[in-house]
Amino acid sequence: MGAACARELSHQGYKVALMSRSEDILDLAEELGGLGIQGSVTDKNDLKKLVNATLGKFGRIDAVINNTGHPAKGDLLEIPEEDWYHGLNLVLLNVAKMAQLVTPIMQKQGRGVFINISTFAAYEPSASFPVSSVLRAGLGSYMKLFADRYASDNIRMNNLLPGFINSYEVDELMLQSIPMKRAGTVDEVAKTVVFLVSDSAAYITGQNIKIDGGLTRSV
């Protein structure tokens, strides 16, 4: 999903600055004519490096897309404490850290957008993703607090909640649970991200927006 978002944003004319633990991020950045940094969203120094390098190369930051994988899985009472702490750093504190670093920049610019890629399980928790379900529900609260606080500065934050997307294998049992009877595509996620970043979504903030083929109920 992250790569699809980067490609679609680039296609729409955005200059992209990308970070991932994988070396592949450097190749993708080169392909898109952007900036690539190898690092972890759990390390604030890496996030500072990304922000500073982006400002150095492009002079501004208009949008931040926070996208990570799922934290550890397992039986609810068997998950080690350290996995909960790692999950906190991976899916919630990374957003808070980026907001601390970038919000002052966006205030000076007079505008900005944050999009956090969350999960449908944030509000209909799944036993298959216990750490993710719990902590991304917390991300929903953080997002709303931030959106309310900074809306008057023309800085928006929304969460995007994908269902079963074809970046992972989707089996027949999963497909039968989806009213549309198909998995979503990474391109559909990417196009939704581009819309939420754009001026066409200028009055949308503080929302958990599901992209799940009707899998979950409205909240």
Side-chain angles (χ1 to χ4, degrees):
M1 283 191 286
C5 289
R7 288 192 171 96
E8 186 63 25
L9 285 163
S10 178
H11 178 71
Q12 295 298 330
Y14 292 89
K15 301 296 184 183
V16 295
L18 313 174
M19 187 174 78
S20 171
R21 290 178 298 174
S22 170
E23 289 184 5
D24 293 344
I25 203 67
L26 305 179
D27 294 333
L28 179 59
E30 183 177 2
E31 171 194 330
L32 301 178
L35 170 68
I37 291 177
Q38 194 172 358
S40 172
V41 299
T42 63
D43 187 330
K44 192 167 186 178
N45 288 327
D46 286 347
L47 294 175
K48 287 180 179 178
K49 182 179 177 182
L50 174 64
V51 169
N52 291 336
T54 302
L55 286 176
K57 186 174 181 65
F58 301 124
R60 61 185 294 117
I61 299 176
D62 294 295
V64 173
I65 315 301
N66 292 304
N67 176 60
T68 67
H70 283 291
K73 296 181 277 188
D75 185 80
L76 183 62
L77 299 184
E78 300 298 325
I79 299 169
E81 190 172 312
E82 55 268 26
D83 285 349
W84 285 99
Y85 283 115
H86 178 71
L88 179 66
N89 274 311
L90 184 65
V91 303
L92 178 52
L93 290 184
N94 68 307
V95 173
K97 291 171 186 175
M98 281 299 284
Q100 286 179 325
L101 292 169
V102 178
T103 300
I105 298 166
M106 291 180 172
Q107 286 176 311
K108 291 179 181 177
Q109 294 172 176
R111 63 184 299 169
V113 184
F114 292 87
I115 305 297
N116 309 314
I117 309 296
S118 182
T119 173
F120 76 94
Y123 293 98
E124 295 196 24
S126 167
S128 299
F129 307 101
V131 178
S132 183
S133 297
V134 170
L135 294 175
R136 294 190 202 262
L139 177 60
S141 294
Y142 179 90
M143 175 273 297
K144 187 63 170 70
L145 290 170
F146 179 95
D148 290 352
R149 170 64 177 80
Y150 293 101
S152 61
D153 291 332
N154 199 26
I155 300 173
R156 300 186 290 113
M157 181 181 282
N158 293 292
N159 288 350
L160 189 62
L161 281 57
F164 296 118
I165 305 298
N166 66 355
S167 51
Y168 294 95
E169 183 178 353
V170 181
D171 62 32
E172 189 60 32
L173 183 62
M174 294 175 182
L175 289 176
Q176 290 307 309
S177 69
I178 305 169
M180 292 188 78
K181 302 304 179 189
R182 69 171 180 86
T185 70
V186 293
D187 288 337
E188 288 171 323
V189 173
K191 290 180 185 300
T192 305
V193 165
V194 170
F195 166 71
L196 291 172
V197 167
S198 74
D199 288 341
S200 296
Y203 203 54
I204 300 175
T205 193
Q207 303 303 309
N208 290 290
I209 299 168
K210 296 182 178 182
I211 177 169
D212 65 3
L215 176 65
T216 54
R217 298 185 298 273
S218 297
V219 294

